[in-house]
Amino acid sequence: MNKKKRRLLIRTIILIVLTSAVAYTLYANFTKDERGMLKAGDKAPDFVLTDMDGNTHRLSDYEGKGVFLNFWGTWCKPCEREMPYMNNQFKKYQDQGVQILAVNVGESDFLINRFVSKHGLEFPILVDKEEEVQNAYGIDPLPTTFLINPQGKIEKIITGTMTENDIIEDLESIKP
């Protein structure tokens, strides 16, 4: 194969790859509103994730309990501000039929463990490595919290930082 033909082949492959990337980006942007458009009253999508201790958590296993489902990242300052409040209330509400689950959005175990140790977090920290749960719930921005009632329906969706009083009110609202 001479140089001209090889160059033409490489340019054609590059052009195909770039065209595919542009087409995918356009498709993803035009359909993002249809994906993850959960609202209050919807059934919360079930999922199975593993926590930092290797335990498996399935949302449907918590039916009959209220679930405070928080999506967060170690780099997110508003997430960092509300984590100690969640930890304080976890201790109080875990015996009242309310479970706090914090889903990290695909970061490394090292970063998550360092964050958990720094803040002394005791509630389950689930890891969504493949970002499947984040996509199913349409998470944007962080932090986002879903209040799920004991029947598995979404009561409320909260984006942004919460105060400790906000968290207490929210946990009370989903208590069985």
Side-chain angles (χ1 to χ4, degrees):
M1 188 181 262
N2 66 27
K3 282 185 171 183
K4 281 187 174 184
K5 285 186 177 179
R6 188 170 44 224
R7 201 172 329 147
L8 178 63
L9 178 65
I10 290 172
R11 286 178 178 168
T12 303
I13 290 170
I14 291 171
L15 184 61
I16 290 170
V17 169
L18 287 173
T19 304
S20 299
V22 168
Y24 173 76
T25 302
L26 289 172
Y27 167 77
N29 280 328
F30 287 125
T31 61
K32 74 179 179 183
D33 292 339
E34 298 165 20
R35 292 179 280 125
M37 287 299 295
L38 295 173
K39 57 189 177 311
D42 289 347
K43 179 93 171 134
D46 199 12
F47 61 81
V48 177
L49 289 175
T50 304
D51 67 21
M52 297 304 293
D53 297 325
N55 301 313
T56 301
H57 296 262
R58 179 183 304 272
L59 181 63
S60 56
D61 290 344
Y62 294 101
E63 204 154 307
K65 289 185 170 195
V67 178
F68 183 95
L69 182 63
N70 178 267
F71 290 85
W72 68 284
T74 61
W75 48 266
C76 166
K77 290 302 175 191
C79 302
E80 188 169 7
R81 279 193 295 277
E82 69 187 15
M83 285 288 179
Y85 305 145
M86 290 166 49
N87 201 53
N88 293 343
Q89 298 313 312
F90 169 71
K91 297 170 193 172
K92 178 180 173 187
Y93 282 89
Q94 69 179 351
D95 297 330
Q96 296 183 38
V98 178
Q99 180 65 50
I100 292 178
L101 299 174
V103 179
N104 179 273
V105 293
E107 294 181 277
S108 73
D109 289 353
F110 173 76
L111 289 174
I112 298 168
N113 280 324
R114 190 172 71 183
F115 185 93
V116 168
S117 294
K118 176 181 174 183
H119 297 286
L121 303 178
E122 299 176 41
F123 49 85
I125 303 292
L126 313 181
V127 184
D128 188 13
K129 292 266 189 232
E130 306 300 318
E131 299 180 5
E132 291 172 3
V133 178
Q134 179 182 355
N135 290 335
Y137 279 77
I139 300 307
D140 182 44
L142 292 180
T144 296
T145 302
F146 287 77
L147 302 180
I148 302 169
N149 69 23
Q151 293 74 42
K153 295 211 187 240
I154 299 169
E155 287 289 321
K156 186 176 175 185
I157 302 169
I158 304 149
T159 56
T161 310
M162 293 178 279
T163 66
E164 191 152 13
N165 285 334
D166 293 336
I167 292 171
I168 291 168
E169 285 176 23
D170 293 334
L171 292 169
E172 282 292 328
S173 76
I174 56 172
K175 220 165 54 166

CSV table of all heavy atoms in Angstrom, one decimal, residues 87-131:
chain,number,residue,atom,x,y,z
A,87,ASN,N,-24.9,12.2,59.0
A,87,ASN,CA,-24.4,11.3,60.0
A,87,ASN,C,-25.0,11.4,61.3
A,87,ASN,O,-25.4,10.4,62.0
A,87,ASN,CB,-22.8,11.4,60.1
A,87,ASN,CG,-22.2,10.2,60.6
A,87,ASN,OD1,-22.4,9.1,60.1
A,87,ASN,ND2,-21.4,10.3,61.6
A,88,ASN,N,-25.2,12.6,61.8
A,88,ASN,CA,-25.8,12.9,63.1
A,88,ASN,C,-27.2,12.3,63.1
A,88,ASN,O,-27.6,11.6,64.1
A,88,ASN,CB,-25.9,14.4,63.4
A,88,ASN,CG,-24.6,15.0,63.6
A,88,ASN,OD1,-23.6,14.4,63.9
A,88,ASN,ND2,-24.6,16.3,63.5
A,89,GLN,N,-28.0,12.5,62.1
A,89,GLN,CA,-29.4,12.0,62.0
A,89,GLN,C,-29.5,10.5,61.7
A,89,GLN,O,-30.4,9.9,62.1
A,89,GLN,CB,-30.2,12.8,61.0
A,89,GLN,CG,-30.2,14.3,61.4
A,89,GLN,CD,-30.6,14.6,62.8
A,89,GLN,OE1,-31.5,14.0,63.4
A,89,GLN,NE2,-29.8,15.4,63.5
A,90,PHE,N,-28.5,10.0,61.1
A,90,PHE,CA,-28.5,8.5,60.8
A,90,PHE,C,-28.6,7.8,62.1
A,90,PHE,O,-29.4,6.8,62.2
A,90,PHE,CB,-27.2,8.1,60.0
A,90,PHE,CG,-27.0,6.6,60.0
A,90,PHE,CD1,-27.8,5.8,59.2
A,90,PHE,CD2,-26.0,6.0,60.7
A,90,PHE,CE1,-27.6,4.5,59.1
A,90,PHE,CE2,-25.8,4.6,60.6
A,90,PHE,CZ,-26.6,3.9,59.8
A,91,LYS,N,-27.8,8.2,63.1
A,91,LYS,CA,-27.8,7.5,64.4
A,91,LYS,C,-29.1,7.5,65.0
A,91,LYS,O,-29.6,6.6,65.7
A,91,LYS,CB,-26.7,8.2,65.3
A,91,LYS,CG,-25.3,8.1,64.8
A,91,LYS,CD,-24.4,9.0,65.6
A,91,LYS,CE,-23.0,9.1,64.9
A,91,LYS,NZ,-22.2,10.1,65.5
A,92,LYS,N,-29.8,8.6,64.9
A,92,LYS,CA,-31.2,8.8,65.5
A,92,LYS,C,-32.3,8.1,64.8
A,92,LYS,O,-33.1,7.4,65.4
A,92,LYS,CB,-31.5,10.3,65.6
A,92,LYS,CG,-32.8,10.6,66.2
A,92,LYS,CD,-33.0,12.1,66.2
A,92,LYS,CE,-34.4,12.5,66.6
A,92,LYS,NZ,-34.7,13.9,66.5
A,93,TYR,N,-32.2,8.2,63.4
A,93,TYR,CA,-33.4,7.7,62.6
A,93,TYR,C,-33.3,6.2,62.2
A,93,TYR,O,-34.2,5.6,61.8
A,93,TYR,CB,-33.6,8.6,61.4
A,93,TYR,CG,-34.3,9.8,61.8
A,93,TYR,CD1,-33.6,11.0,62.2
A,93,TYR,CD2,-35.7,9.9,61.8
A,93,TYR,CE1,-34.3,12.1,62.5
A,93,TYR,CE2,-36.4,11.0,62.2
A,93,TYR,CZ,-35.6,12.2,62.5
A,93,TYR,OH,-36.3,13.3,62.9
A,94,GLN,N,-32.1,5.6,62.3
A,94,GLN,CA,-32.0,4.2,61.9
A,94,GLN,C,-32.8,3.3,62.7
A,94,GLN,O,-33.3,2.3,62.2
A,94,GLN,CB,-30.5,3.7,61.9
A,94,GLN,CG,-29.9,3.6,63.2
A,94,GLN,CD,-28.4,3.1,63.2
A,94,GLN,OE1,-28.0,2.7,62.1
A,94,GLN,NE2,-27.8,3.1,64.3
A,95,ASP,N,-33.1,3.6,63.9
A,95,ASP,CA,-34.0,2.8,64.8
A,95,ASP,C,-35.5,3.2,64.6
A,95,ASP,O,-36.3,2.6,65.3
A,95,ASP,CB,-33.6,2.9,66.2
A,95,ASP,CG,-32.2,2.4,66.5
A,95,ASP,OD1,-31.8,1.5,65.8
A,95,ASP,OD2,-31.5,2.9,67.4
A,96,GLN,N,-35.7,4.2,63.8
A,96,GLN,CA,-37.1,4.7,63.6
A,96,GLN,C,-37.7,4.3,62.2
A,96,GLN,O,-38.6,4.9,61.7
A,96,GLN,CB,-37.2,6.2,63.8
A,96,GLN,CG,-36.8,6.6,65.2
A,96,GLN,CD,-37.0,8.1,65.4
A,96,GLN,OE1,-37.9,8.8,64.8
A,96,GLN,NE2,-36.1,8.7,66.1
A,97,GLY,N,-37.0,3.4,61.5
A,97,GLY,CA,-37.5,2.9,60.2
A,97,GLY,C,-37.1,3.8,59.0
A,97,GLY,O,-37.8,3.7,58.0
A,98,VAL,N,-36.0,4.6,59.2
A,98,VAL,CA,-35.6,5.4,58.1
A,98,VAL,C,-34.1,5.0,57.8
A,98,VAL,O,-33.3,5.0,58.7
A,98,VAL,CB,-35.7,6.9,58.4
A,98,VAL,CG1,-35.2,7.7,57.2
A,98,VAL,CG2,-37.2,7.2,58.6
A,99,GLN,N,-33.8,4.8,56.5
A,99,GLN,CA,-32.4,4.4,56.2
A,99,GLN,C,-31.8,5.5,55.3
A,99,GLN,O,-32.4,6.0,54.4
A,99,GLN,CB,-32.4,3.1,55.3
A,99,GLN,CG,-31.1,2.6,54.9
A,99,GLN,CD,-30.2,2.3,56.0
A,99,GLN,OE1,-30.5,1.5,56.9
A,99,GLN,NE2,-29.0,2.8,56.1
A,100,ILE,N,-30.6,5.9,55.7
A,100,ILE,CA,-29.8,6.8,54.8
A,100,ILE,C,-28.9,6.0,54.0
A,100,ILE,O,-28.1,5.2,54.5
A,100,ILE,CB,-29.1,7.8,55.7
A,100,ILE,CG1,-30.0,8.8,56.4
A,100,ILE,CG2,-28.1,8.6,54.8
A,100,ILE,CD1,-29.4,9.8,57.4
A,101,LEU,N,-28.9,6.2,52.7
A,101,LEU,CA,-28.0,5.6,51.7
A,101,LEU,C,-27.3,6.7,50.9
A,101,LEU,O,-28.1,7.6,50.4
A,101,LEU,CB,-28.7,4.7,50.8
A,101,LEU,CG,-29.4,3.5,51.4
A,101,LEU,CD1,-30.2,2.7,50.3
A,101,LEU,CD2,-28.4,2.5,52.1
A,102,ALA,N,-26.0,6.8,50.9
A,102,ALA,CA,-25.3,7.8,50.2
A,102,ALA,C,-24.6,7.1,49.0
A,102,ALA,O,-23.8,6.2,49.2
A,102,ALA,CB,-24.3,8.5,51.1
A,103,VAL,N,-25.0,7.6,47.8
A,103,VAL,CA,-24.4,6.9,46.6
A,103,VAL,C,-23.3,7.9,46.0
A,103,VAL,O,-23.6,9.0,45.6
A,103,VAL,CB,-25.5,6.7,45.5
A,103,VAL,CG1,-24.9,6.1,44.3
A,103,VAL,CG2,-26.6,5.8,46.1
A,104,ASN,N,-22.1,7.4,46.0
A,104,ASN,CA,-21.0,8.1,45.4
A,104,ASN,C,-21.0,7.9,43.9
A,104,ASN,O,-21.3,6.8,43.5
A,104,ASN,CB,-19.6,7.7,46.0
A,104,ASN,CG,-18.5,8.4,45.3
A,104,ASN,OD1,-18.0,8.1,44.3
A,104,ASN,ND2,-18.1,9.5,46.0
A,105,VAL,N,-20.8,8.9,43.2
A,105,VAL,CA,-20.9,8.9,41.7
A,105,VAL,C,-19.7,8.4,41.0
A,105,VAL,O,-19.2,9.1,40.1
A,105,VAL,CB,-21.4,10.3,41.2
A,105,VAL,CG1,-22.8,10.5,41.7
A,105,VAL,CG2,-20.5,11.4,41.6
A,106,GLY,N,-19.2,7.3,41.3
A,106,GLY,CA,-18.1,6.6,40.5
A,106,GLY,C,-16.7,7.0,40.8
A,106,GLY,O,-15.9,6.9,39.9
A,107,GLU,N,-16.4,7.5,42.0
A,107,GLU,CA,-15.0,7.8,42.3
A,107,GLU,C,-14.2,6.6,42.8
A,107,GLU,O,-14.8,5.6,43.1
A,107,GLU,CB,-15.0,8.9,43.4
A,107,GLU,CG,-15.6,10.2,42.8
A,107,GLU,CD,-15.5,11.3,43.9
A,107,GLU,OE1,-16.4,11.4,44.7
A,107,GLU,OE2,-14.6,12.1,43.8
A,108,SER,N,-12.9,6.8,43.0
A,108,SER,CA,-12.1,5.7,43.4
A,108,SER,C,-12.3,5.4,44.9
A,108,SER,O,-12.7,6.2,45.7
A,108,SER,CB,-10.6,6.0,43.2
A,108,SER,OG,-10.2,7.0,44.2
A,109,ASP,N,-12.1,4.1,45.3
A,109,ASP,CA,-12.2,3.7,46.7
A,109,ASP,C,-11.3,4.5,47.6
A,109,ASP,O,-11.7,4.8,48.7
A,109,ASP,CB,-11.9,2.2,46.8
A,109,ASP,CG,-12.9,1.3,46.2
A,109,ASP,OD1,-14.0,1.8,45.8
A,109,ASP,OD2,-12.7,0.1,46.2
A,110,PHE,N,-10.1,4.8,47.1
A,110,PHE,CA,-9.1,5.6,47.9
A,110,PHE,C,-9.8,6.9,48.3
A,110,PHE,O,-9.7,7.3,49.5
A,110,PHE,CB,-7.8,5.8,47.1
A,110,PHE,CG,-6.9,6.7,47.8
A,110,PHE,CD1,-6.2,6.3,48.9
A,110,PHE,CD2,-6.7,8.1,47.4
A,110,PHE,CE1,-5.3,7.2,49.6
A,110,PHE,CE2,-5.9,8.9,48.1
A,110,PHE,CZ,-5.2,8.5,49.2
A,111,LEU,N,-10.3,7.7,47.3
A,111,LEU,CA,-10.9,9.0,47.6
A,111,LEU,C,-12.1,8.9,48.5
A,111,LEU,O,-12.2,9.7,49.5
A,111,LEU,CB,-11.3,9.7,46.3
A,111,LEU,CG,-10.2,10.2,45.4
A,111,LEU,CD1,-10.8,10.7,44.1
A,111,LEU,CD2,-9.4,11.3,46.1
A,112,ILE,N,-12.9,7.9,48.3
A,112,ILE,CA,-14.1,7.7,49.1
A,112,ILE,C,-13.7,7.4,50.5
A,112,ILE,O,-14.2,8.0,51.5
A,112,ILE,CB,-15.0,6.6,48.5
A,112,ILE,CG1,-15.5,7.0,47.1
A,112,ILE,CG2,-16.2,6.4,49.5
A,112,ILE,CD1,-16.2,5.9,46.4
A,113,ASN,N,-12.8,6.4,50.7
A,113,ASN,CA,-12.4,6.0,52.1
A,113,ASN,C,-11.7,7.2,52.8
A,113,ASN,O,-12.0,7.3,54.0
A,113,ASN,CB,-11.4,4.8,52.0
A,113,ASN,CG,-12.1,3.5,51.8
A,113,ASN,OD1,-13.2,3.3,52.3
A,113,ASN,ND2,-11.5,2.6,51.0
A,114,ARG,N,-10.9,8.0,52.1
A,114,ARG,CA,-10.3,9.1,52.8
A,114,ARG,C,-11.4,10.1,53.3
A,114,ARG,O,-11.3,10.6,54.4
A,114,ARG,CB,-9.4,9.8,51.8
A,114,ARG,CG,-8.5,10.9,52.5
A,114,ARG,CD,-7.4,11.4,51.6
A,114,ARG,NE,-8.1,12.2,50.5
A,114,ARG,CZ,-7.4,12.7,49.5
A,114,ARG,NH1,-6.1,12.5,49.3
A,114,ARG,NH2,-8.1,13.5,48.6
A,115,PHE,N,-12.4,10.4,52.4
A,115,PHE,CA,-13.5,11.3,52.8
A,115,PHE,C,-14.3,10.7,54.0
A,115,PHE,O,-14.6,11.4,54.9
A,115,PHE,CB,-14.4,11.4,51.5
A,115,PHE,CG,-15.5,12.4,51.7
A,115,PHE,CD1,-15.3,13.7,51.3
A,115,PHE,CD2,-16.7,12.1,52.3
A,115,PHE,CE1,-16.4,14.7,51.5
A,115,PHE,CE2,-17.8,13.0,52.4
A,115,PHE,CZ,-17.6,14.3,52.0
A,116,VAL,N,-14.6,9.4,53.9
A,116,VAL,CA,-15.4,8.8,55.0
A,116,VAL,C,-14.7,8.8,56.3
A,116,VAL,O,-15.2,9.2,57.3
A,116,VAL,CB,-15.8,7.3,54.6
A,116,VAL,CG1,-16.3,6.5,55.8
A,116,VAL,CG2,-16.8,7.3,53.4
A,117,SER,N,-13.4,8.6,56.2
A,117,SER,CA,-12.5,8.6,57.5
A,117,SER,C,-12.5,10.0,58.0
A,117,SER,O,-12.6,10.2,59.2
A,117,SER,CB,-11.1,8.1,57.2
A,117,SER,OG,-11.2,6.7,56.9
A,118,LYS,N,-12.2,11.0,57.1
A,118,LYS,CA,-12.1,12.4,57.5
A,118,LYS,C,-13.4,12.9,58.3
A,118,LYS,O,-13.3,13.6,59.3
A,118,LYS,CB,-11.9,13.3,56.3
A,118,LYS,CG,-11.8,14.7,56.6
A,118,LYS,CD,-11.6,15.5,55.3
A,118,LYS,CE,-11.7,17.0,55.5
A,118,LYS,NZ,-11.6,17.8,54.3
A,119,HIS,N,-14.6,12.4,57.8
A,119,HIS,CA,-15.8,12.9,58.4
A,119,HIS,C,-16.4,11.9,59.4
A,119,HIS,O,-17.5,12.1,59.9
A,119,HIS,CB,-16.8,13.2,57.3
A,119,HIS,CG,-16.3,14.4,56.5
A,119,HIS,ND1,-16.3,15.7,56.9
A,119,HIS,CD2,-15.8,14.4,55.2
A,119,HIS,CE1,-15.8,16.5,56.0
A,119,HIS,NE2,-15.5,15.7,55.0
A,120,GLY,N,-15.8,10.7,59.6
A,120,GLY,CA,-16.3,9.7,60.5
A,120,GLY,C,-17.7,9.2,60.2
A,120,GLY,O,-18.6,9.0,61.0
A,121,LEU,N,-18.0,9.0,58.9
A,121,LEU,CA,-19.3,8.6,58.4
A,121,LEU,C,-19.7,7.2,58.8
A,121,LEU,O,-18.8,6.3,58.6
A,121,LEU,CB,-19.5,8.9,56.9
A,121,LEU,CG,-19.2,10.3,56.4
A,121,LEU,CD1,-19.3,10.4,54.9
A,121,LEU,CD2,-20.1,11.3,57.1
A,122,GLU,N,-20.9,7.0,59.3
A,122,GLU,CA,-21.3,5.6,59.7
A,122,GLU,C,-22.4,5.0,58.9
A,122,GLU,O,-22.6,3.8,59.0
A,122,GLU,CB,-21.7,5.7,61.2
A,122,GLU,CG,-20.6,6.2,62.1
A,122,GLU,CD,-21.1,6.4,63.5
A,122,GLU,OE1,-21.9,5.5,64.0
A,122,GLU,OE2,-20.7,7.4,64.2
A,123,PHE,N,-23.1,5.8,58.1
A,123,PHE,CA,-24.1,5.3,57.2
A,123,PHE,C,-23.5,4.6,56.0
A,123,PHE,O,-22.4,4.9,55.6
A,123,PHE,CB,-25.2,6.3,56.9
A,123,PHE,CG,-24.6,7.6,56.3
A,123,PHE,CD1,-24.2,7.7,55.0
A,123,PHE,CD2,-24.3,8.7,57.1
A,123,PHE,CE1,-23.7,8.9,54.4
A,123,PHE,CE2,-23.8,9.9,56.6
A,123,PHE,CZ,-23.5,9.9,55.3
A,124,PRO,N,-24.3,3.7,55.3
A,124,PRO,CA,-23.8,3.0,54.2
A,124,PRO,C,-23.4,4.0,53.0
A,124,PRO,O,-24.2,4.8,52.6
A,124,PRO,CB,-24.9,2.1,53.7
A,124,PRO,CG,-25.8,1.9,55.0
A,124,PRO,CD,-25.6,3.2,55.7
A,125,ILE,N,-22.2,3.8,52.5
A,125,ILE,CA,-21.7,4.6,51.4
A,125,ILE,C,-21.7,3.6,50.2
A,125,ILE,O,-20.8,2.7,50.2
A,125,ILE,CB,-20.3,5.2,51.6
A,125,ILE,CG1,-20.3,6.1,52.9
A,125,ILE,CG2,-19.8,5.9,50.4
A,125,ILE,CD1,-21.0,7.3,52.8
A,126,LEU,N,-22.6,3.8,49.3
A,126,LEU,CA,-22.7,2.9,48.1
A,126,LEU,C,-21.9,3.5,47.0
A,126,LEU,O,-21.8,4.8,46.9
A,126,LEU,CB,-24.1,2.7,47.7
A,126,LEU,CG,-25.1,2.4,48.8
A,126,LEU,CD1,-26.5,2.2,48.2
A,126,LEU,CD2,-24.7,1.2,49.6
A,127,VAL,N,-21.3,2.7,46.1
A,127,VAL,CA,-20.5,3.2,45.0
A,127,VAL,C,-21.1,2.8,43.7
A,127,VAL,O,-21.4,1.6,43.4
A,127,VAL,CB,-19.1,2.6,45.1
A,127,VAL,CG1,-18.2,3.3,44.0
A,127,VAL,CG2,-18.4,2.9,46.4
A,128,ASP,N,-21.4,3.8,42.9
A,128,ASP,CA,-22.0,3.6,41.5
A,128,ASP,C,-20.9,3.7,40.5
A,128,ASP,O,-20.8,4.7,39.8
A,128,ASP,CB,-23.1,4.6,41.4
A,128,ASP,CG,-23.9,4.4,40.1
A,128,ASP,OD1,-23.8,3.3,39.5
A,128,ASP,OD2,-24.7,5.4,39.7
A,129,LYS,N,-20.0,2.7,40.4
A,129,LYS,CA,-18.8,2.8,39.5
A,129,LYS,C,-19.2,3.0,38.1
A,129,LYS,O,-18.6,3.7,37.4
A,129,LYS,CB,-18.0,1.5,39.7
A,129,LYS,CG,-17.3,1.4,41.0
A,129,LYS,CD,-15.9,1.9,41.0
A,129,LYS,CE,-15.2,1.6,42.3
A,129,LYS,NZ,-14.6,2.7,42.9
A,130,GLU,N,-20.3,2.3,37.6
A,130,GLU,CA,-20.7,2.4,36.2
A,130,GLU,C,-21.6,3.6,36.0
A,130,GLU,O,-22.1,3.7,34.8
A,130,GLU,CB,-21.3,1.1,35.8
A,130,GLU,CG,-20.5,-0.1,36.0
A,130,GLU,CD,-19.1,-0.1,35.3
A,130,GLU,OE1,-19.1,0.3,34.1
A,130,GLU,OE2,-18.1,-0.5,35.9
A,131,GLU,N,-22.0,4.3,37.0
A,131,GLU,CA,-22.9,5.4,36.9
A,131,GLU,C,-24.3,5.0,36.4
A,131,GLU,O,-25.1,5.9,35.9
A,131,GLU,CB,-22.3,6.6,36.1
A,131,GLU,CG,-21.0,7.1,36.7
A,131,GLU,CD,-20.4,8.2,36.0
A,131,GLU,OE1,-21.0,8.7,35.0
A,131,GLU,OE2,-19.3,8.6,36.4
